[in-house]
Amino acid sequence: AEGSKLRMVSTDGFRLALAEESYDTDFPKTTVLVPNSGLREVYKILNTVKADKVGLSIGESVTLYIEGTSKVRVDILPLSGNFPTYERIIPESCAMEVIVHRNSIINACKQVNVISKESNGFAKMKFGNGITISSYNDGVGNTEVGVDAEVKDELEVGVNINYLMDALNSINTAEAVFELGTSTTPIAIKNTSDKNQLHIIMPMRIQ
């Protein structure tokens, strides 16, 4: 937290999710690590009470004051340690931007995952005449699914299909935006309405 903005970031070394929101109150610059288990419980409570207002304080614990159909206070004990320096993997620019219908590419991922789950989730995305997602496994076979999209250049990149679906499922707009560089640079995935939300997927090496 810093000033009137609260930024939340999560990463496992292979992917990253970032969201930033503005608050009415100014915060001093503060960084705190919280466990995923605590955030999952907060998410459940937010949905259960249909929250329309959330207050936050940061001290010895991270405290959230949730108001909806009922009022709930949640205290989360922070973790010790240092968060990775994540800013360096967020691309400052991209060579190509592709906008695609979110449900269409999610459905394509589900079809390809029948094969890719036998290959540790590996799939290949080919940008050119639209988007083609494919996967191959010696013992199972291969699958290839095309998705309509306006693509200005050609690029092939390897991805973990499960990471890709997780990112797409968290987007709440009808279209998703892919920001691409090369086959070895991080892939940025955004929605079309909120530039303060971002997903990064690290590419996989194409065999």
Side-chain angles (χ1 to χ4, degrees):
E2 182 176 9
S4 61
K5 292 187 177 181
L6 174 69
R7 172 178 285 189
M8 300 183 68
V9 184
S10 179
T11 183
D12 60 7
F14 301 101
R15 52 185 169 168
L16 177 146
L18 181 152
E20 193 172 85
E21 294 291 342
S22 296
Y23 274 73
D24 296 332
T25 304
D26 283 349
F27 287 96
K29 187 173 182 179
T30 307
T31 301
V32 61
L33 301 182
V34 294
N36 280 335
S37 56
L39 293 180
R40 282 195 293 267
E41 289 304 313
V42 170
Y43 181 76
K44 291 178 184 177
I45 294 169
L46 291 172
N47 288 326
T48 300
V49 305
K50 297 179 173 61
D52 55 15
K53 185 178 181 181
V54 179
L56 171 70
S57 67
I58 300 174
E60 291 186 0
S61 66
V62 178
T63 303
L64 293 98
Y65 306 91
I66 301 170
E67 295 185 21
T69 54
S70 60
K71 295 183 179 181
V72 182
R73 170 176 167 162
V74 181
D75 292 293
I76 304 174
L77 292 177
L79 301 171
S80 60
N82 296 314
F83 197 76
T85 306
Y86 65 89
E87 291 90 348
R88 60 185 177 82
I89 73 164
I90 298 177
E92 295 182 358
S93 61
C94 67
M96 178 169 62
E97 180 179 279
V98 178
I99 300 175
V100 62
H101 193 272
R102 189 180 69 92
N103 285 340
S104 295
I105 196 164
I106 287 175
N107 289 334
C109 289
K110 289 178 179 178
Q111 295 178 58
V112 172
N113 195 37
V114 173
I115 302 297
S116 65
K117 66 183 179 182
E118 303 296 333
S119 303
N120 297 318
F122 175 81
K124 183 170 67 176
M125 297 184 74
K126 182 176 181 179
F127 296 85
N129 184 19
I131 303 172
T132 302
I133 307 176
S134 61
S135 188
Y136 174 80
N137 180 274
D138 286 334
V140 181
N142 68 286
T143 184
E144 183 176 285
V145 183
V147 180
D148 290 333
E150 184 177 338
V151 181
K152 297 180 180 180
D153 206 346
E154 294 188 353
L155 177 68
E156 286 189 358
V157 59
V159 296
N160 183 302
I161 201 78
N162 297 304
Y163 297 168
L164 177 58
M165 287 194 291
D166 284 345
L168 292 168
N169 281 323
S170 70
I171 291 174
N172 56 9
T173 53
E175 294 178 315
V177 181
F178 285 80
E179 294 184 352
L180 305 150
T182 70
S183 61
T184 59
T185 55
I187 304 162
I189 304 171
K190 303 177 179 179
N191 64 36
T192 53
S193 64
D194 189 351
K195 300 304 181 182
N196 292 322
Q197 295 183 13
L198 169 69
H199 295 269
I200 298 289
I201 299 177
M202 301 304 293
M204 299 178 71
R205 185 166 61 89
I206 298 176
Q207 301 293 335

